[in-house]
Amino acid sequence: MNRLLIVEDETSLASVLQRGFEAEGMHVDLAHQGDTGLRLALEGEYDAIILDLMLPGLDGHRVCTAIRAAGLWTPILMLTAKDSEYDEAQGLDTGADDYLTKPFSYLVLQSRIRALLRRTARGRPQRIIAGDLVLETSARRCIRAGRDIALTSREFDLLAVLARRPGTVVSKSALLEEVWDLPGESDPNVVEVHVSALRRKIDRPFPHKLLHTARGLGYRILTDGAP
Ligand code: CA
């Protein structure tokens, strides 16, 4: 489960964001002041931090600088009501990874956070192993039963999402969101096409099939029987 810290002094906005990201399956902690946010950031082992700029206690720039000075490279998305280029540059200079100006769309924030989580390998294994399938995420290499299999970037991402949770059914809409960054209600045909291509590459040459369809629900990787 991804752990997210939201440092935001507008309590109603903070609560709305907390509920939204919890509904995405994340663990979310809130801080309403810069100093408490910094303390949590240093102790909490988060996968990403949403940090408001104008905060009581300690402002967002100083919180960000202190987090980086402590040697912590958790991805930080800074939120602010200011939108001049100077502020953006300053935010990125203090070590923020991304920047969003208020008012913002929740959907945009959500997809930026997903992008930050994808970019960081922190807390995630570099190798995903499911049965005789091995995915090396940094090299984007796929190996089954010792044999290298060439995958496109989308095929790799799709397989990685499924292989991270062997046995768990992942719906087409969840795949559209996670792999394509599309709304879940988009045309699922793109998922089906990529799943067929993946099957030809990772399953057809092997007696044990890894990629299974849960009819009407989605797809999953089953490793039972594979060495
Ligand atoms: Ca504020």
Side-chain angles (χ1 to χ4, degrees):
M1 185 190 275
N2 283 312
R3 293 171 54 81
L4 180 67
L5 172 64
I6 300 175
V7 189
E8 166 61 75
D9 60 323
E10 289 169 48
T11 52
S12 56
L13 172 61
S15 306
V16 168
L17 296 181
Q18 180 180 33
R19 281 197 296 275
F21 283 106
E22 281 176 347
E24 295 278 298
M26 295 188 198
H27 171 90
V28 183
D29 287 334
L30 290 185
H32 300 305
Q33 300 214 111
D35 45 356
T36 45
L38 175 60
R39 186 172 51 76
L40 283 175
L42 297 181
E43 293 169 355
E45 296 191 15
Y46 295 98
D47 297 298
I49 299 171
I50 296 176
L51 179 62
D52 188 28
L53 180 57
M54 305 299 282
L55 287 167
L58 207 58
D59 76 36
H61 286 313
R62 293 174 64 192
V63 173
C64 191
T65 306
I67 290 172
R68 296 306 184 227
L72 220 66
W73 296 96
T74 313
I76 295 175
L77 183 144
M78 213 175 257
L79 289 181
T80 177
K82 300 180 177 179
D83 62 355
S84 73
E85 282 177 53
Y86 171 77
D87 288 313
E88 180 164 1
Q90 195 186 355
L92 298 176
D93 279 352
T94 55
D97 298 87
D98 201 357
Y99 196 90
L100 206 55
T101 304
K102 292 178 182 175
F104 54 84
S105 132
Y106 174 68
L107 287 177
V108 171
L109 175 63
Q110 207 184 24
S111 80
R112 299 276 194 93
I113 287 294
R114 273 203 301 265
L116 284 183
L117 290 171
R118 267 201 305 273
R119 240 183 278 161
T120 176
R122 202 187 145 279
R124 289 225 165 131
Q126 292 291 81
R127 306 182 95 192
I128 304 166
I129 300 171
D132 59 355
L133 177 80
V134 179
L135 298 177
E136 292 181 354
T137 54
S138 45
R140 300 184 70 79
R141 194 171 161 216
C142 171
I143 304 144
R144 182 156 185 204
R147 215 189 291 178
D148 261 291
I149 300 173
L151 298 181
T152 66
S153 170
R154 289 284 195 214
E155 287 163 0
F156 188 92
D157 290 342
L158 174 60
L159 186 57
V161 168
L162 294 168
R164 276 197 177 102
R165 311 160 228 188
T168 307
V169 175
V170 184
S171 69
K172 289 178 193 173
S173 59
L175 291 167
L176 282 167
E177 289 177 5
E178 276 196 59
V179 179
W180 280 268
D181 253 341
L182 286 168
E185 61 273 25
S186 310
D187 183 0
N189 187 45
V190 65
V191 180
E192 292 156 16
V193 168
H194 281 77
V195 165
S196 321
L198 259 182
R199 282 208 164 104
R200 280 195 297 277
K201 295 179 178 180
I202 65 153
D203 271 345
R204 192 179 283 170
F206 302 94
H208 175 77
K209 308 306 175 198
L210 287 171
L211 190 45
H212 293 257
T213 303
R215 228 156 262 302
L217 297 173
Y219 303 99
R220 65 176 155 175
I221 295 280
L222 289 177
T223 57
D224 306 340

